[in-house]
Amino acid sequence: MKESWRWYGNLDRITLPEIAQTGATGIVTALHDIPYGEVWPVEAIRTRQGEIAAPNLGLGWNVVESLPIHEAIKTGEGNLAPLFADYRQSMANLAACGVRAICYNFMPLLDWTRTDLAARVETGGTALRFSQVHMAAFEIHMVGRDGAQDDYSATVQADAALWFENSTRSDRDILLSSIMAGLPGAFARYDIAGLRRALDGYRDIDRNALRANYARFLAEIIPAATDLGIRMCVHPDDPPRDILGLPRIVSDADDIDWIMSRQDSIANGLTLCAGSLGAHPENDVPAIARRFAERIHFAHLRNVAKEPDGSFEEAAHLAGDTDMPALISALLTEEQRRQEAGCVDCEIPFRPDHGHELLSDVGRGTHPGYPLIGRMRGLAELRGVIAGLTYARSATAAS
């Protein structure tokens, strides 16, 4: 498996020489300064590659995360032909530069969503957290979304009302900021009024309508990806449930099966995000990995600890509810299958995702969920599991 590391370019407080010291060699990044829907020029791609390939670092850009999809494509609004053409041109420019794995998502309006960016961990440090109570308070009392009450239990609603009643203006501002933090890049986040207006754009878009718009995207993009030798890999919804009344359509095995069947091509693939899928109480993440192994082109390895009311918190990489050794074993089995089938590049790139903020991470101001020490700890733990499983397989084969 190819050890990789997410880097936000000049927006990142972690430097490439520091990343090189973690042992990761693949860089997962994007051109975050280019607005959604605009073409990524070859010159800009090559400039970013040149930064990554600085002498004596041993790094290379191996996965794009993400090539964003313009919101109009998700809503199906207006003349989309120019947007699809520009997206295909960005793909062609990336392929011309030798970057052929593209992670993307189809989540409406927001990317990953958390309500607390610095939840205290018992042994020290902080973690990302999604509180069902705080999300209910946000939807019902701060945004005032019609029908929001229907999405929460009576107990959660009561606790949300109590939190809101006792909250300060600062508490509410922090909650809004936390929920907006998952949006990548340097672009403006929504305030409450802006979010209400944005939600109005989805008022008539239910699950079926969003699926239809996604199917159109796949029909427009996957044939081009096939021709270019690009592997598109959709990232699951995070969290894997409807929020803010917006449908989420990449949340479980049935959703993934629907996506893969829309365009039956190896280019139509999956980013196996253990944390996103693991936050769904009915998802068996290792089983999902085994079922869709052939289509997994990228993996995010992290773990979450779920709670009965629907809340969850980022756990240490080998803790939490997902059996990480079983998941990694499934990925190694797929790599072996690819090798036996004669694949040129059999390794599945993975990155340690959403680490705890530990030690000198605290106060450094890195992107939420993307500290240096916490992710390096996760990478070391994952590396140990991979080495142990690989040794056991070799010993078994030799006996």
Side-chain angles (χ1 to χ4, degrees):
M1 296 176 68
K2 178 79 167 179
E3 295 183 4
S4 305
W5 190 276
R6 189 168 191 181
W7 182 59
Y8 287 90
N10 60 11
L11 303 174
D12 206 321
R13 295 184 180 238
I14 298 171
T15 67
L16 290 170
E18 287 176 309
I19 295 171
Q21 291 180 58
T22 70
T25 56
I27 293 296
V28 177
T29 191
L31 303 183
H32 295 292
D33 55 331
I34 297 180
Y36 291 13
E38 293 189 10
V39 173
W40 287 13
V42 168
E43 296 78 8
I45 296 168
R46 292 203 186 281
T47 297
R48 177 55 55 84
Q49 282 182 310
E51 294 169 349
I52 294 168
N56 304 317
L57 295 183
L59 302 175
W61 186 0
N62 65 335
V63 180
V64 173
E65 187 176 353
S66 300
L67 182 57
I69 299 171
H70 194 280
E71 210 64 32
I73 292 175
K74 298 175 189 177
T75 61
E77 178 183 347
N79 177 17
L80 301 182
L83 287 174
F84 286 127
D86 287 349
Y87 199 95
R88 288 190 293 266
Q89 187 60 58
S90 293
M91 292 165 55
N93 292 348
L94 285 162
C97 297
V99 184
R100 291 190 168 83
I102 298 176
C103 173
Y104 70 99
N105 74 70
F106 213 80
M107 289 181 264
L109 288 186
L110 302 180
D111 206 299
W112 59 266
T113 304
R114 299 292 184 273
T115 59
D116 190 343
L117 305 182
R120 283 287 166 189
V121 177
E122 184 178 352
T123 55
T126 66
L128 301 180
R129 176 175 172 78
F130 182 93
S131 165
Q132 191 82 328
V133 168
H134 290 170
M135 194 69 201
F138 181 75
E139 289 208 57
I140 297 169
H141 301 287
M142 291 174 60
V143 177
R145 179 175 69 83
D146 291 342
Q149 294 90 336
D150 298 338
D151 293 339
Y152 297 96
S153 70
T155 300
V156 168
Q157 288 185 54
D159 290 344
L162 183 62
W163 180 89
F164 183 76
E165 181 181 341
N166 294 324
S167 65
T168 64
R169 175 64 180 270
S170 176
D171 293 332
R172 298 169 195 174
D173 287 345
I174 290 171
L175 179 57
L176 172 63
S177 178
S178 298
I179 290 171
M180 292 298 113
L183 289 168
F187 304 108
R189 274 57 174 154
Y190 299 110
D191 58 15
I192 293 295
L195 182 58
R196 287 173 181 148
R197 288 192 295 271
L199 289 172
D200 282 342
Y202 278 88
R203 188 174 296 277
D204 297 323
I205 299 177
D206 61 10
R207 178 179 176 83
N208 289 334
L210 189 62
R211 268 191 164 187
N213 294 340
Y214 188 16
R216 180 180 177 186
F217 170 80
L218 293 172
E220 293 275 358
I221 297 305
I222 297 303
T226 302
D227 292 342
L228 292 166
I230 280 178
R231 299 291 186 258
M232 300 294 293
C233 29
V234 63
H235 188 288
D237 301 325
D238 189 6
R241 68 188 72 168
D242 295 357
I243 58 171
L244 292 167
L246 300 170
R248 295 290 183 100
I249 58 172
V250 194
S251 294
D252 57 23
D254 288 342
D255 288 342
I256 296 168
D257 184 66
W258 180 89
I259 294 162
M260 299 300 110
S261 66
R262 292 315 91 185
Q263 295 288 319
D264 189 13
S265 166
I266 197 68
N268 182 26
L270 174 67
T271 295
L272 194 286
C273 181
S276 298
L277 292 169
H280 193 304
E282 297 179 10
N283 281 344
D284 180 334
V285 182
I288 289 174
R290 291 189 292 270
R291 178 175 174 182
F292 299 104
E294 186 178 2
R295 298 288 190 93
I296 296 172
H297 304 314
F298 184 34
H300 292 177
L301 299 184
R302 62 181 173 90
N303 224 319
V304 296
K306 298 186 288 293
E307 299 169 23
D309 72 349
S311 303
F312 61 89
E313 186 167 300
E314 306 280 358
H317 286 74
L318 300 186
D321 298 331
T322 294
D323 185 341
M324 191 61 68
L327 172 58
I328 291 173
S329 180
L331 298 176
L332 290 173
T333 296
E334 172 58 17
E335 283 190 339
Q336 182 178 358
R337 185 201 66 79
R338 294 178 189 185
Q339 185 176 22
E340 292 171 352
C343 294
V344 175
D345 186 4
C346 303
E347 283 189 300
I348 297 172
F350 78 95
R351 61 175 180 84
D353 199 8
H354 290 190
H356 289 175
E357 207 173 55
L358 304 172
L359 304 172
S360 59
D361 289 331
V362 178
R364 188 170 180 181
T366 54
H367 282 69
Y370 292 93
L372 176 61
I373 304 300
R375 281 190 291 164
M376 187 167 66
R377 172 190 168 181
L379 178 59
E381 292 175 343
L382 296 168
R383 182 184 293 145
V385 172
I386 293 167
L389 289 171
T390 300
Y391 175 82
R393 287 164 179 253
S394 298
T396 300
S399 62

